Amino acid sequence: MANLVTSLCCVVLAAVVVAYAQRRSQLVARNQYERMGSDVTMQCGSLDNDASVSWKVNGTDVKAQHRLEGPRLILTQVNLGHNGLYSCFQNPHGERRDTILLHIGIPPREPTVTCRSNTYPKGFYCSWHQLHATYVPTTFEVDVQHNQRSLEVQKDSVHKNRCHVRFPEVFSSFPYKVNVTAVNALGKASTTISFEESTIVKPDPPERVTATPIRLNPRRLEVSWQSPSTWPDIDNFPLKYFLRYRPLIRDQWQHVELSDSTSHTITDAYAGKEYIIQVAAKDTEIGTWSDWSVAVHATPWIEDPLPITSTTEGDFSTASDLSEPIDDDQEKGLEGASRDNTATETKTSPIPSSNAPQKAEPPVGRAAKLLTFFSPLLLGMLLLFM
Ligand SMILES: *[C@@H]1O[C@H](CO)[C@@H](O)[C@H](O)[C@H]1NC(C)=O
Ligand SMILES: *[C@@H]1O[C@H](CO)[C@@H](O)[C@H](O)[C@H]1NC(C)=O
């Protein structure tokens, strides 16, 4: 008896589950992926050929060009505008029989793949991207071969289209073969690149580049930097450096190559000119130069300018002299660098100079800026007292 009740219970439960699953399958949309430009057939559930149904998209009538063939809706030459939630209802009672989320897209094309080692001799990374949108979710499979062996590939935690590989050995003469396959619901495409270890070595740019004026030296700037922190073994795999610098107002760079030193003194700077300075790094033997470091700005030491012979201005005018004439000079070029009346005039203007970028200057410069900012105020007060 107990057995019978249990069996009955099971049967009822099973029936409920099946009914629920059926109902759910009618309510929960299923995905259908189709190629752009193709003719698309959507089938309403598993209804027979002679079933009569009506279709809606996004809850309204289908306005796009279409044909009805029994339980099938046929759209011609679909484009992104056909995307939507399609539902079919069986006539004559109008019960919903199916719901389809239509996604129009294109198959992936061969991805662009590049590999680089900024952590030599630890490993390298590869990144890839698609030149064309596919409009539907596309994933990538990566396979790395070396000396007929598949290497372990680790996904990057930040960059979606990047992976990391450890060098199985250093100074290997076997090439690495990297195969990246783009896959989506409409197709797949692969790109394979092959390279030798030494060709992909490219360090990150040097870090903490600083440039400081040297007291009493109007033509010198002391530049120093650190090797990129990502470079794992600077002692056994030393880097060499490339320095470039120019006055802001000039286009041509001057270059210095330095092996194994992380500082350099520029001795031929134009007095009083703001400089822009960058450094790149390269393994001393293999690979290519890094990108340039973030640009730093610096101005060589300038002698305190002679006080301007004016009776109304106090200390603050001297301070603003320090920061402002540079901008005037920029407009005049190197030759017309001498200070003249225009400099005096700008001081009375309350508008802060707009072409003064953040200069990597010692606090003196900042104090001067502060004073420059307040000088119109002070000037105004002075005028009041006169
Ligand atoms: C249906 O709605 C989606 C999302 O709002 C929209 O992108 C799509 O164009 C609509 N489809 C049609 C055929 O109106
Ligand atoms: C790259 O990988 C894909 C997918 O695994 C494979 O079909 C294809 O043949 C591979 N290509 C090469 C050149 O190994």
Side-chain angles (χ1 to χ4, degrees):
M1 185 61 193
N3 254 351
L4 193 69
V5 172
T6 317
S7 315
L8 214 63
C9 269
C10 282
V11 168
V12 169
L13 197 67
V16 167
V17 167
V18 167
Y20 177 76
Q22 266 175 358
R23 177 118 189 91
R24 217 178 132 68
S25 74
Q26 287 158 15
L27 294 180
V28 172
R30 58 192 172 91
N31 292 309
Q32 184 168 338
Y33 293 90
E34 299 288 351
R35 287 184 189 212
M36 204 178 283
S38 65
D39 292 350
V40 169
T41 302
M42 278 179 279
Q43 158 78 36
C44 181
S46 48
L47 294 184
D48 292 337
N49 280 342
D50 53 2
S52 161
V53 301
S54 42
W55 289 83
K56 286 194 182 278
V57 57
N58 290 351
T60 62
D61 292 339
V62 179
K63 289 181 199 77
Q65 200 179 11
H66 64 278
R67 283 200 319 271
L68 278 173
E69 287 180 4
R72 280 178 290 275
L73 172 70
I74 298 154
L75 302 172
T76 47
Q77 293 200 1
V78 291
N79 55 44
L80 294 175
H82 290 88
N83 281 334
L85 188 66
Y86 289 80
S87 308
C88 58
F89 304 87
Q90 187 167 17
N91 297 327
H93 302 297
E95 294 158 88
R96 180 155 64 183
R97 289 301 183 193
D98 205 357
T99 311
I100 298 168
L101 199 49
L102 181 66
H103 306 268
I104 307 300
I106 51 179
R109 297 204 213 159
E110 290 77 17
T112 309
V113 182
T114 52
C115 297
R116 172 185 165 215
S117 174
N118 57 340
T119 56
Y120 191 75
K122 262 187 170 165
F124 62 93
Y125 70 85
C126 296
S127 46
W128 51 89
H129 63 273
Q130 293 251 87
L131 291 175
H132 306 275
T134 59
Y135 309 104
V136 292
T138 301
T139 58
F140 297 88
E141 290 161 11
V142 186
D143 179 53
V144 181
Q145 300 276 337
H146 175 253
N147 191 13
Q148 298 170 349
R149 206 155 64 88
S150 227
L151 301 183
E152 193 188 328
V153 175
Q154 214 163 32
K155 292 236 149 219
D156 190 280
S157 50
V158 180
H159 300 94
K160 195 159 55 82
N161 290 354
R162 187 181 284 196
C163 70
H164 298 265
V165 180
R166 294 188 79 85
F167 283 119
E169 58 192 77
V170 198
F171 310 130
S172 163
S173 56
F174 291 106
Y176 290 81
K177 234 178 73 182
V178 176
N179 177 359
V180 179
T181 307
V183 186
N184 70 22
L186 302 170
K188 61 181 186 173
S190 316
T191 298
T192 302
I193 62 168
S194 188
F195 52 84
E196 272 172 36
E197 165 190 313
S198 61
T199 62
I200 57 160
V201 174
K202 180 185 174 186
D204 287 329
E207 294 170 10
R208 300 189 192 208
V209 183
T210 59
T212 36
I214 302 170
R215 218 180 107 69
L216 303 177
N217 279 285
R219 302 206 60 189
R220 288 182 180 230
L221 282 171
E222 174 79 32
V223 186
S224 70
W225 59 91
Q226 289 180 5
S227 61
S229 55
T230 43
W231 195 253
D233 188 356
I234 191 81
D235 295 327
N236 293 311
F237 297 88
L239 296 174
K240 58 181 181 179
Y241 300 97
F242 208 53
L243 183 81
R244 72 173 186 182
Y245 59 99
R246 63 173 172 87
L248 265 188
I249 54 169
R250 283 267 163 115
D251 287 335
Q252 294 93 347
W253 293 95
Q254 283 162 279
H255 296 99
V256 188
E257 187 168 336
L258 303 149
S259 48
D260 216 13
S261 165
T262 55
S263 66
H264 175 71
T265 305
I266 295 170
T267 56
D268 57 357
Y270 289 107
K273 294 289 162 281
E274 180 175 352
Y275 270 74
I276 176 166
I277 299 144
Q278 291 180 293
V279 192
K282 183 186 167 301
D283 182 277
T284 46
E285 280 163 27
I286 55 174
T288 55
W289 286 101
S290 73
D291 292 337
W292 290 108
S293 61
V294 176
V296 295
H297 293 241
T299 308
W301 175 86
I302 331 174
E303 201 179 339
D304 279 346
L306 294 170
I308 290 168
T309 48
S310 159
T311 45
T312 51
E313 295 172 2
D315 280 349
F316 58 89
S317 69
T318 326
S320 64
D321 272 350
L322 267 177
S323 65
E324 286 209 333
I326 296 160
D327 305 320
D328 293 321
D329 293 350
Q330 276 167 19
E331 275 137 30
K332 277 179 243 141
L334 284 171
E335 283 69 40
S338 69
R339 262 162 238 155
D340 57 19
N341 290 340
T342 28
T344 332
E345 267 161 34
T346 29
K347 275 201 299 295
T348 57
S349 157
I351 305 155
S353 167
S354 61
N355 58 352
Q358 327 79 306
K359 289 167 209 158
E361 276 177 357
V364 182
R366 251 190 262 159
K369 249 186 232 163
L370 204 67
L371 274 169
T372 317
F373 181 75
F374 282 117
S375 62
L377 252 177
L378 289 170
L379 197 65
M381 280 165 69
L382 268 172
L383 286 173
L384 266 181
F385 286 117
M386 269 166 55

